Structures are given as structure tokens and as C-alpha cells.
């Protein structure tokens, strides 16, 4: 099986190929984060498009599973392009302009064909007024169409040049790996354990936690759990205010609160689910 190429930049992995991203999402449950704009609606701020940024935990997992190849093209991208590369890119831009120009030309010619009888009649009258005899007037529709096409091709139109999503030219690159700190390694072990149990996992920054756990693809499901990772394991002394804070937070966003930690004695990842019950003694009170 050929590995998917992931570009490593600024401490994160980036995917520029839509098919590669769909394969990671639907076959390996790697969600990532769409950070671009959709090509069909470039001014829509409520939707995201390619490329996709992968977290360090997602990249590490895919490397361990030998699903991707992590490459670093930073050095090649920072170099000044050669003359050949400049010419290749210039030719690609010109080809793109031609491809955008031809639909405009065809639309104008279609309108010209539609009004061809009126155009021929107008030209005939103009020639008669200039003194040309009726029998000397010969107007060929195909010739008129060719003349119109030549005139339109010489006109300048406003054009939008699309910047390529993926670098279009061949670049030198080197394979690389990703290094995690001790605290990040603990979070990675939690992430990997959740992934192996069949969940969809995303970062939980927006909800004040480390990870969000989904029962299915986040496109179709809301997150069911907020996951908080204890870096100190079971030896860490938990503050009551901390527990109240994360439990109340999960209640507000309508999710279950999960505490994850690595047991030093067994070196295994454990999960504890906390559910806020409120003040049980006051449930029967009436006001």
C-alpha cells in the first residue's frame, strides 16, 4: 500500500490533496482541521476548505501505523525558483488564462449566432446605403462568425488567476519525523487509546478540554465526551474546584466529562467518567 504524503511545516502536518484527506477521514477516522476556503465559494466565511492541518497527535499516530510519509519541503520552498521553474509556472498561468478566456468567447459567439439574421440584414442595409449594388453583396455567415471570433480573441477581459493549492512543480524533499515532549507524549497515548477503541477524536480547545470524542464522523454527530488528560497520573492531587469546573463545563455543553491518565504501576491508559448529578437532597424540594 502506497503511503500518503503529508507535508511538515511549522510543527504540523498539512495535506493538500483532497482524495488523500478523504481516505484518512473515512478509512482511518482522522478528522484534522480544514483551514482553507472552499473553491466554489471563496468568500464564504462560514465554510472551510483545503488544505487540512493535522495535529501532532494525528501525525504521530499515522506515522506509527505506517499510513503516511512525513516530508519536509521547507528548504526547497524558501529557495529562489530557477529560470526553468519560472518558465514552467508562467506557462501554467497562461494556460489557465486561456481556459478561463474560452468560455467567455464561446458565450459571446453563441449570442452572435443567435442574432445572425439581424446582423446580416443590418450589414446589407449599410452596404446598400454606401452605394453597393444588391447583386454585389455576398455575406457569408461562417466568415462573419470567424471575423467576430478573431475580434473577440483580441479583446482583454478581467480575469481571476487561481493560486494553486498544491505546489505545482517538482521539489526536492527529505523524510522527517515528529518529536513530542513528555507531556505531549502522555496526551498522545490517550489519543491513541481512544482511536483504537473506534472513536473520532478532535482537539478540544474550543470546549476547554484536551480532546473531544465523537460517536461518529463530526460532520454527522455532535461530540459526546470532553476528555481531560492528567499529566501527573494518579499521583496528581486533584483540586475540588478543578473537578467542579470541568464537570460544570461538560454540563453546560451537554457532554460527559472524562478524565484520562496513565497509571504508573501498570503503564496503561485509564479513563474515569464523571457525571454531574447536582444536589441530590434538594431534588424533591418544591418552591
Amino acid at each position: 500500500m502506497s503511503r500518503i504524503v503529508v507535508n511538515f511545516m511549522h510543527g504540523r502536518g498539512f495535506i493538500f490533496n483532497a482524495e488523500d484527506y478523504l481516505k484518512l477521514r473515512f478509512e482511518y477516522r482522522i478528522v484534522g482541521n480544514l483551514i482553507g476556503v472552499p473553491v466554489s465559494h471563496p468568500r464564504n466565511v462560514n465554510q472551510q476548505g483545503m488544505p487540512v492541518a493535522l495535529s501532532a497527535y494525528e501525525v504521530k499516530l499515522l506515522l506509527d501505523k505506517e499510513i503516511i510519509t512525513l516530508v519536509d519541503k521547507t528548504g526547497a520552498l524558501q529557495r529562489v525558483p530557477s529560470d526553468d521553474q519560472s518558465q514552467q509556472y508562467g506557462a501554467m498561468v497562461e494556460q489557465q488564462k486561456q481556459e478561463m478566456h474560452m468560455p467567455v468567447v464561446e458565450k459571446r459567439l453563441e449570442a452572435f449566432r443567435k442574432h445572425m439574421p439581424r446582423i446580416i440584414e443590418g450589414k446589407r442595409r449599410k452596404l446598400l446605403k454606401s452605394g453597393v449594388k444588391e447583386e454585389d453583396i455576398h455575406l457569408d455567415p461562417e466568415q462573419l462568425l470567424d471575423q467576430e471570433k478573431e475580434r473577440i480573441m483580441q479583446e482583454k477581459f478581467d480575469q481571476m488567476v487561481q493560486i494553486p493549492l498544491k505546489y505545482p512543480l517538482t521539489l526536492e524533499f527529505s523524510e522527517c519525523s515528529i518529536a513530542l515532549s513528555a507531556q505531549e507524549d502522555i496526551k498522545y497515548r490517550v489519543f491513541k487509546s481512544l482511536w483504537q477503541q473506534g472513536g473520532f477524536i478532535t482537539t478540544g480547545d474550543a470546549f476547554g478540554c484536551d480532546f473531544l470524542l465523537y460517536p461518529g464522523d463530526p460532520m454527522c454527530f455532535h461530540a459526546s465526551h470532553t476528555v481531560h488528560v492528567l499529566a501527573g497520573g494518579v499521583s496528581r492531587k486533584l483540586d475540588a474546584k478543578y473537578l467542579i469546573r470541568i464537570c460544570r463545563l461538560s454540563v453546560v455543553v451537554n457532554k460527559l466529562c472524562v478524565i484520562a491518565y496513565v497509571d504508573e504501576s501498570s503503564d496503561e491508559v485509564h479513563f474515569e467518567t464523571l457525571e454531574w448529578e447536582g444536589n441530590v437532597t434538594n431534588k424533591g424540594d418544591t418552591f
Side-chain angles (χ1 to χ4, degrees):
M1 181 185 68
S2 60
R3 297 190 185 186
I4 295 173
V5 176
V6 175
N7 295 268
F8 185 69
M9 293 182 290
H10 307 292
R12 293 192 296 177
F14 291 88
I15 299 176
F16 298 94
N17 186 291
E19 293 182 358
D20 290 343
Y21 172 59
L22 293 176
K23 183 176 182 179
L24 290 180
R25 181 160 189 147
F26 295 124
E27 293 186 21
Y28 300 105
R29 294 177 280 107
I30 297 298
V31 180
N33 185 24
L34 290 163
I35 60 173
V37 294
V39 177
S40 56
H41 300 86
R43 295 179 178 83
N44 190 338
V45 297
N46 297 318
Q47 294 182 356
Q48 286 74 44
M50 299 293 290
V52 174
L54 301 178
S55 68
Y57 311 114
E58 291 171 325
V59 173
K60 178 68 173 173
L61 175 68
L62 294 172
L63 284 173
D64 290 349
K65 297 296 181 180
E66 299 183 349
I67 299 171
I68 66 170
T69 298
L70 193 63
V71 300
D72 187 358
K73 299 180 181 179
T74 306
L77 289 171
Q78 290 178 344
R79 287 197 294 266
V80 178
S82 64
D83 292 339
D84 278 345
Q85 290 176 327
S86 298
Q87 290 177 2
Q88 290 179 31
Y89 183 74
M92 292 175 59
V93 172
E94 287 302 320
Q95 181 181 356
Q96 188 182 46
K97 288 181 179 180
Q98 289 296 326
E99 292 174 352
M100 295 177 63
H101 188 69
M102 290 311 298
V104 178
V105 173
E106 290 298 328
K107 187 175 181 180
R108 293 277 295 273
L109 290 178
E110 184 64 29
F112 189 84
R113 292 189 190 97
K114 182 178 180 180
H115 298 94
M116 183 68 78
R118 296 175 58 184
I119 293 172
I120 292 178
E121 180 62 23
K123 288 183 176 294
R124 189 184 68 82
R125 291 179 180 178
K126 188 175 180 179
L127 291 172
L128 289 174
K129 287 183 179 179
S130 64
V132 180
K133 295 181 180 180
E134 179 74 32
E135 58 272 15
D136 295 334
I137 299 176
H138 302 285
L139 297 173
D140 183 14
E142 292 299 326
Q143 184 179 3
L144 292 176
L145 191 64
D146 291 339
Q147 292 174 355
E148 181 66 13
K149 182 176 180 179
E150 183 178 354
R151 185 184 68 81
I152 296 174
M153 291 293 291
Q154 294 176 356
E155 291 184 4
K156 292 184 178 181
F157 296 93
D158 293 334
Q159 295 175 331
M160 295 178 62
V161 178
Q162 181 178 347
I163 299 174
L165 175 64
K166 183 180 179 181
Y167 192 81
L169 305 179
T170 303
L171 285 177
E172 297 178 357
F173 63 86
S174 59
E175 293 190 19
C176 59
S177 59
I178 187 169
L180 301 177
S181 64
Q183 186 173 358
E184 289 175 334
D185 188 63
I186 294 175
K187 291 184 179 181
Y188 167 66
R189 293 186 60 182
V190 172
F191 177 87
K192 184 178 180 180
S193 179
L194 291 170
W195 183 85
Q196 288 175 335
Q197 295 179 45
F200 282 77
I201 311 106
T202 65
T203 57
D205 297 341
F207 288 83
C209 58
D210 293 301
F211 301 112
L212 288 174
L213 182 61
Y214 295 78
D217 194 299
M219 292 181 64
C220 306
F221 294 88
H222 289 289
S224 56
H225 297 72
T226 60
V227 183
H228 301 263
V229 179
L230 298 182
V234 293
S235 61
R236 174 182 172 181
K237 184 178 180 180
L238 294 179
D239 183 18
K241 291 182 179 179
Y242 170 76
L243 290 176
I244 294 173
R245 183 167 65 249
I246 62 176
C247 289
R248 291 295 296 269
L249 176 62
S250 64
V251 170
V252 170
V253 295
N254 194 27
K255 305 182 191 316
L256 294 178
C257 179
V258 176
I259 294 179
Y261 61 91
V262 176
D263 189 347
E264 294 90 341
S265 59
S266 62
D267 197 34
E268 295 179 351
V269 178
H270 292 270
F271 300 95
E272 299 290 345
T273 302
L274 306 178
E275 189 172 358
W276 183 264
E277 294 292 346
N279 191 346
V280 179
T281 59
N282 290 332
K283 282 190 175 180
D285 292 347
T286 56
F287 298 92

